[in-house]
Amino acid sequence: DAMVIQNPRYQVTQFGKPVTLSCSQTLNHNVMYWYQQKSSQAPKLLFHYYDKDFNNEADTPDNFQSRRPNTSFCFLDIRSPGLGDAAMYLCATSRRAGYTDTQYFGPGTRLTVL
Amino acid sequence: AQSVTQLGSHVSVSEGALVLLRCNYSSSVPPYLFWYVQYPNQGLQLLLKYTTGATLVKGINGFEAEFKKSETSFHLTKPSAHMSDAAEYFCAVMSQGAQKLVFGQGTRLTINP
């Protein structure tokens, strides 16, 4: 089945130790998104790629970076995780940005910062 | 700017009862509206969406929602709740020309046996 895959599902890191989260998709969608979802809160968009074009949200901290080496893969890098970065990180894809195209979500990676 | 308000962070109904989850939106242009469901430790899954045309939209798992422009609402309903409906539900809005979804705070639905 075509899908959005996130690895790992659970990630534990130490305060200030860089961490990378991975997302891959078999849908061949043009757009890939990264959301941060803290406990009992709505998902918050961090950034998205439309093909190779990177679109950062204005309020996304510089501590968060992303890479998309090819259509299928997208990575979220947190350079120096703080305790406040503990959250579920959701990857999503869509065929186009905006319009009414459905966003397909992966299962998420739950990040714990010690 | 777009925004979404979900009334009630927690809704509890009995199995077999009507489910009603409320969503109001704010948008300066005609919106696209979505309902997503999130089961524990999983990603979000689209239940239904309104784009244009018929204002009553039917989705998966027996859910439906009605777009009411005069009330700026997009409430989600299901005639008869099932235990498997227990989850978090998110309403979201996207304005035409925008490139991102704006989510409400979510409503946790609990089903009592």
Side-chain angles (χ1 to χ4, degrees):
Chain A
D1 289 341
M3 55 180 18
V4 181
I5 302 162
Q6 291 188 245
N7 286 305
R9 293 292 311 277
Y10 300 89
Q11 176 73 57
V12 180
T13 191
Q14 292 181 331
F15 183 94
K17 185 175 181 180
V19 66
T20 294
L21 309 182
S22 169
C23 177
S24 64
Q25 54 125 342
T26 61
L27 297 161
N28 202 32
H29 281 171
N30 295 314
V31 191
M32 296 187 76
Y33 307 81
W34 279 105
Y35 289 86
Q36 179 191 63
Q37 185 181 23
K38 295 187 176 180
S39 182
S40 301
Q41 295 186 21
K44 177 180 177 298
L45 182 65
L46 295 174
F47 26 60
H48 74 275
Y49 272 96
Y50 196 140
D51 291 330
K52 295 182 180 180
D53 292 333
F54 179 70
N55 297 271
N56 197 30
E57 292 299 302
D59 56 355
T60 298
D62 293 340
N63 198 27
F64 291 86
Q65 305 284 321
S66 186
R67 296 170 283 135
R68 189 178 185 186
N70 54 53
T71 300
S72 300
F73 285 87
C74 194
F75 300 98
L76 170 62
D77 300 308
I78 309 176
R79 292 192 295 187
S80 182
L83 298 179
D85 297 327
M88 176 78 88
Y89 289 88
L90 296 168
C91 175
T93 73
S94 68
R95 193 165 58 89
R96 301 174 297 176
Y99 301 96
T100 60
D101 288 30
T102 299
Q103 291 189 20
Y104 294 86
F105 285 79
T109 295
R110 184 168 297 281
L111 177 67
T112 300
V113 182
L114 300 177
Chain B
Q2 313 156 77
S3 66
V4 176
T5 302
Q6 291 184 239
L7 299 176
S9 60
H10 194 179
V11 171
S12 182
V13 302
S14 298
E15 190 174 18
L18 171 71
V19 175
L20 171 60
L21 305 182
R22 299 177 187 273
C23 172
N24 288 89
Y25 69 90
S26 172
S27 176
S28 57
V29 297
Y32 302 133
L33 295 159
F34 306 77
W35 275 100
Y36 280 85
V37 61
Q38 185 177 32
Y39 298 100
N41 293 315
Q42 294 188 27
L44 280 69
Q45 179 184 8
L46 181 70
L47 276 177
L48 49 80
K49 63 182 177 183
Y50 169 78
T51 56
T52 59
T55 56
L56 182 62
V57 181
K58 294 186 183 299
I60 62 171
N61 301 339
F63 285 94
E64 63 182 36
E66 186 171 11
F67 170 59
K68 292 188 176 180
K69 184 178 179 180
S70 61
E71 299 178 7
T72 61
S73 69
F74 191 57
H75 301 331
L76 181 71
T77 60
K78 181 174 180 177
S80 178
H82 191 272
M83 296 299 291
S84 61
D85 295 326
E88 187 93 18
Y89 291 80
F90 291 94
C91 182
V93 63
M94 178 187 294
S95 293
Q96 294 182 25
Q99 292 193 3
K100 67 176 185 179
L101 287 171
V102 174
F103 287 91
Q105 291 299 308
T107 297
R108 182 168 299 276
L109 177 63
T110 302
I111 311 297
N112 302 313

